[in-house]
Amino acid sequence: MAADQPTVLVVEDEHAQREVLAYNLEAEGFRVIKAENGEEALLLVEEDMPDIIVLDWMMPNLSGIEVCRRLKSRPETRSIPIIMLSARSEEVDKVRGLETGADDYVVKPFSVVELMARVRTQLRRVRPSTVGLRLEYEDIVLDAETHKVSRSEHPLKLGPTEFRLLSTFMEKPGRVWSREQLLDRVWGRDIYVDTRTVDVHIGRLRKALTQHGGPDPVRTVRGAGYALG
């Protein structure tokens, strides 16, 4: 997996539809994991937390509605955006899907181009740096499109790893990230890196952020990890 590549979980019991969705999402630059039923989807979320879920409503045994309800009822998965896919086009069905917790509702048959746009819209909310947005935290400004960072209007020189670390922190200020979570997000799940490497790059990031003065905004949480602010 390429570092910082957003992960999409596709949950669809029809093989052909699942493969079409996966192909188009991968062509758009996403990392895709797939589940063919609700039970498998819940297991995958435990093992490989996605950034967004594209979820079919009509599946045998455990329906998409029930999968959505369970994920939205758990604090650790509540914030994952869910786009519900369904052949049900009645307004009452859309309302039910959204009230269960779905963040968007797309009626089959749908335009793949439109679905890709909806995926990016949801990602813009939870992973803004992956879609080229400008992030701000106090006096720090990060432009994901130009890969430039400044603090109090002073340009900062950051290496690519430090840039990805800062992007991760600035997407969710205050959140405590463990070393293992930072390894997955910044280095990628398929690359073996010792957790002590995280500490080295955090040190470099702190040095870069304070090179023109100002307090260190990166907080060490003993026994837990690091946070911004």
Side-chain angles (χ1 to χ4, degrees), residues 36-193:
E36 62 182 37
N37 56 58
E39 292 89 345
E40 186 183 4
L42 292 173
L43 284 173
L44 274 175
V45 170
E46 290 284 340
E47 297 170 359
D48 193 353
M49 187 82 75
D51 294 297
I52 185 169
I53 300 172
V54 177
L55 176 64
D56 184 38
W57 178 327
M58 298 295 290
M59 291 186 294
N61 301 322
L62 198 63
S63 71
I65 282 284
E66 179 59 20
V67 172
C68 181
R69 187 192 66 76
R70 292 189 190 185
L71 291 174
K72 292 298 183 178
S73 68
R74 292 163 47 194
E76 63 270 28
T77 55
R78 187 176 295 149
S79 63
I80 303 175
I82 295 176
I83 299 178
M84 185 80 74
L85 306 180
S86 176
R88 297 170 178 256
S89 58
E90 296 295 325
E91 184 177 15
V92 65
D93 295 314
K94 293 181 183 179
V95 170
R96 184 183 172 198
L98 294 170
E99 286 185 342
T100 304
D103 298 87
D104 201 354
Y105 189 99
V106 178
V107 177
K108 296 179 177 181
F110 51 81
S111 157
V112 171
V113 173
E114 180 187 354
L115 180 61
M116 297 302 115
R118 287 174 183 258
V119 168
R120 290 198 175 279
T121 296
Q122 293 299 327
L123 274 175
R124 197 171 288 124
R125 186 165 58 82
V126 293
R127 294 282 310 275
S129 70
T130 65
V131 287
L133 294 187
R134 173 185 166 108
L135 305 179
E136 295 186 22
Y137 174 77
E138 295 185 350
D139 57 348
I140 304 169
V141 178
L142 180 148
D143 191 315
E145 189 169 6
T146 62
H147 265 240
K148 291 182 178 179
V149 179
S150 64
R151 185 173 189 186
S152 297
E153 299 186 356
H154 294 289
L156 303 181
K157 291 184 178 180
L158 268 66
T161 300
E162 288 70 46
F163 184 89
R164 291 195 296 270
L165 274 171
L166 183 60
S167 297
T168 298
F169 286 135
M170 290 184 71
E171 283 174 354
K172 295 182 179 179
R175 169 178 170 170
V176 178
W177 295 84
S178 70
R179 290 170 177 82
E180 290 76 14
Q181 288 171 331
L182 289 171
L183 282 174
D184 284 349
R185 177 63 67 90
V186 176
W187 280 265
R189 291 181 178 89
D190 301 328
I191 299 173
Y192 176 75
V193 179

Side-chain angles (χ1 to χ4, degrees), residues 7-26 31-45 47-48 50 52-54 59:
T7 299
V8 182
L9 169 58
V10 173
V11 190
E12 168 65 68
D13 63 320
E14 293 183 18
H15 175 77
Q17 183 74 63
R18 190 168 64 247
E19 293 306 312
V20 166
L21 286 169
Y23 174 83
N24 282 279
L25 286 162
E26 287 171 349
R31 172 178 176 263
V32 178
I33 52 178
K34 298 174 284 186
E36 62 182 37
N37 56 58
E39 292 89 345
E40 186 183 4
L42 292 173
L43 284 173
L44 274 175
V45 170
E47 297 170 359
D48 193 353
I52 185 169
I53 300 172
V54 177
M59 291 186 294

